[in-house]
Every structure is written in structure tokens, then in C-alpha cells.
């Protein structure tokens, strides 16, 4: 089976030595792929929708990997224990939902979190940094004409600047030109949309100038 480009990026941050807890797994495509190709030490596919997991279990039987995956109907990580060798994956949920799942006591248990939110990335980065995690990598991915950022978080103290929190410390360090140019395009679109709000237009223009000060843009 093949993964979407977004889930391929998630899988690239996982090692076979880790257990994997895929939170909000939907049809568990990631776990099925890992069971077929990586054989992690343990695989937990969790979702609050029993119907999605029922379909996932049928697929697991089809691929003959049902004994490798534990399917759990639960809300977030409720009732789950995170081992020190586990990687927790939360991909495809909004930042507000992710923060509700990643309570401080949850983050204390885990060492490795792979996160992909569809919005409010600055809020997510700030929260993870404030709770003792650093970004080992960030991967921008275009999938079905949408752009996603997959984040690879590990336990460790760090301090990022407001600009790094907004656009991603790894993205800036690795000089991801295409991604940053997309940010400029987005800001330019916002300027057109808020033509009756000069204060906002000014903020967006200042942000564009800030980005363009990067010597590699």
C-alpha cells in the first residue's frame, strides 16, 4: 500500500526501534504501512470513531498484519500509557485539539512527538517549546495542492525567537525558500482582502519586509 505524501513525511521521522501510537488515526493507513514495511516494536491505532477503526481492522486482516496492530477506540490519549521508546503521532488535527490531547502530564511521559496541524502553527510551536521540547526537523509537504508542515519534536530545552516560532526554526535554518515565498504570497493575499482595514494591511506589509530581510529569500 502507498501513503499520501503527508503521511510519508510522518513515516520518515519514525524508526523501527520505536513503538508508535497514532492518535486520531482515522483508517490507520500509517499503522498499516508501518506494519507491512517497518515492523515497529508496538503499534497502537487509536481513534474516537469506532466505524473508522472497524474499517481499519478489516484492512489489517486483508494485509495479514492484524496481530501487529492494537486498535483502540478512545478520545485522544485517554487510557493510553506512553513508553519512553514510543513515538506519538498526531497528524491532521487542528492545533486546539492537539493541545487538548497533549496535556502537561502527557508530555511528561513522552520523549518523541510527531505533529502535523492544519493551522495555528505558531501557537503549537510555542506550546511545545514551553513544555520542554525542541524541533529536530520540520518538513513542508505539498499534498493534493495543500501545503502541510510535519514537525518532529523531541524532549529537550530550547529557546526560539518569535520569528522562529512563527515560521519554523528548522525551516529558517534549512533556508526553505519555496515555503517562505508561499508565506509572502499568503500575506499579499491578505493585504488585498483587508483593503478596508489599513492597520492590518500595515502589519502584513511589515511582515513581508521582515521576511525579505532574510539574505537567502
Amino acid at each position: 500500500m502507498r501513503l499520501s505524501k503527508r503521511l510519508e513525511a510522518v513515516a520518515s521521522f519514525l524508526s523501527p526501534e520505536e513503538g508508535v501510537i497514532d492518535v486520531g488515526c482515522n483508517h490507520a493507513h500509517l499503522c498499516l504501512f508501518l506494519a507491512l514495511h517497518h515492523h515497529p516494536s508496538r503499534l497502537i491505532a487509536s481513534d474516537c470513531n469506532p466505524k473508522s477503526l472497524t474499517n481499519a481492522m478489516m484492512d489489517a486482516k486483508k494485509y495479514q498484519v492484524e496481530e501487529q496492530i492494537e486498535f483502540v477506540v478512545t478520545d485522544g490519549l485517554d487510557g493510553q500509557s506512553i513508553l519512553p521508546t514510543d513515538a506519538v503521532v498526531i497528524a491532521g488535527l487542528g492545533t486546539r485539539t492537539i493541545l487538548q490531547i497533549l496535556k502537561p502530564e502527557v508530555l511528561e511521559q513522552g520523549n518523541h512527538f510527531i505533529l502535523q496541524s492544519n493551522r495555528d502553527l505558531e501557537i503549537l510551536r510555542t506550546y511545545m517549546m514551553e513544555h520542554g521540547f525542541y524541533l529536530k526537523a520540520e518538513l513542508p509537504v505539498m499534498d493534493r495542492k495543500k501545503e502541510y508542515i510535519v514537525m518532529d519534536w523531541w524532549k529537550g530545552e530550547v529557546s526560539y525567537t518569535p520569528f522562529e516560532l512563527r515560521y519554523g526554526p528548522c525551516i529558517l535554518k534549512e533556508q526553505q525558500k519555496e515555503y517562505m515565498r508561499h508565506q509572502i504570497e499568503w500575506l499579499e493575499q491578505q493585504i488585498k482582502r483587508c483593503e478596508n482595514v489599513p492597520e492590518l494591511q500595515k502589519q502584513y506589509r511589515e511582515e513581508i519586509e521582515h521576511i525579505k530581510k532574510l539574505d537567502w529569500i
Side-chain angles (χ1 to χ4, degrees):
M1 66 173 297
R2 296 188 62 181
L3 293 176
S4 66
K5 291 183 179 180
R6 180 176 63 90
L7 289 181
E8 279 182 354
V10 171
S12 72
F13 292 141
L14 294 165
S15 71
E17 292 76 27
E18 293 180 298
V20 178
I21 305 174
D22 188 5
V23 180
C25 68
N26 197 9
H27 296 294
H29 290 167
L30 177 65
C31 286
L32 291 169
F33 176 85
L34 294 172
L36 285 166
H37 301 287
H38 289 228
H39 312 293
S41 56
R42 73 169 184 158
L43 272 172
I44 298 174
S46 76
D47 201 280
C48 61
N49 187 338
K51 185 177 180 179
S52 294
L53 285 186
T54 298
N55 292 334
M57 286 187 278
M58 292 173 62
D59 285 338
K61 289 181 180 178
K62 171 185 172 182
Y63 290 110
Q64 299 180 341
V65 295
E66 67 271 22
E67 294 184 1
Q68 295 185 51
I69 306 172
E70 179 183 353
F71 295 93
V72 180
V73 179
T74 189
D75 188 7
L77 282 160
D78 289 354
Q80 297 297 302
S81 295
I82 304 172
L83 301 179
T85 53
D86 284 338
V88 176
V89 174
I90 309 178
L93 301 181
T95 287
R96 302 295 178 181
T97 303
I98 292 174
L99 299 190
Q100 289 172 2
I101 294 170
L102 296 182
K103 303 177 181 70
E105 57 269 26
V106 170
L107 292 174
E108 286 178 7
Q109 293 182 54
N111 292 309
H112 187 195
F113 292 85
I114 300 171
L115 307 178
Q116 180 267 303
S117 172
N118 299 331
R119 60 183 66 87
D120 299 324
L121 301 186
E122 183 177 356
I123 293 172
L124 180 56
R125 291 188 184 103
T126 301
Y127 181 85
M128 293 299 289
M129 179 190 73
E130 290 177 344
H131 286 82
F133 284 80
Y134 75 95
L135 270 166
K136 185 176 181 180
E138 295 173 285
L139 188 57
V141 180
M142 286 297 296
D143 191 353
R144 297 178 183 178
K145 298 183 179 180
K146 291 186 179 180
E147 190 164 43
Y148 303 95
I149 300 291
V150 181
M151 303 179 183
D152 190 25
W153 289 95
W154 288 83
K155 186 161 284 182
E157 297 293 333
V158 73
S159 179
Y160 295 128
T161 67
F163 192 70
E164 287 174 324
L165 291 170
R166 192 171 307 125
Y167 295 107
C170 299
I171 288 170
L172 294 171
K173 183 179 179 180
E174 294 168 7
Q175 300 185 0
Q176 298 271 2
K177 292 183 183 180
E178 186 175 0
Y179 177 77
M180 293 305 294
R181 286 170 180 167
H182 289 167
Q183 301 313 299
I184 292 174
E185 290 172 5
W186 183 86
L187 289 164
E188 289 172 341
Q189 290 171 4
Q190 302 316 302
I191 290 172
K192 293 178 181 178
R193 288 174 182 168
C194 63
E195 57 183 10
N196 296 322
V197 190
E199 296 86 359
L200 275 178
Q201 286 188 320
K202 181 182 177 182
Q203 289 179 23
Y204 290 135
R205 288 193 179 99
E206 288 175 349
E207 192 69 15
I208 290 172
E209 290 306 310
H210 196 175
I211 294 172
K212 286 184 176 179
K213 286 179 181 178
L214 297 170
D215 57 14
W216 45 270
I217 292 294

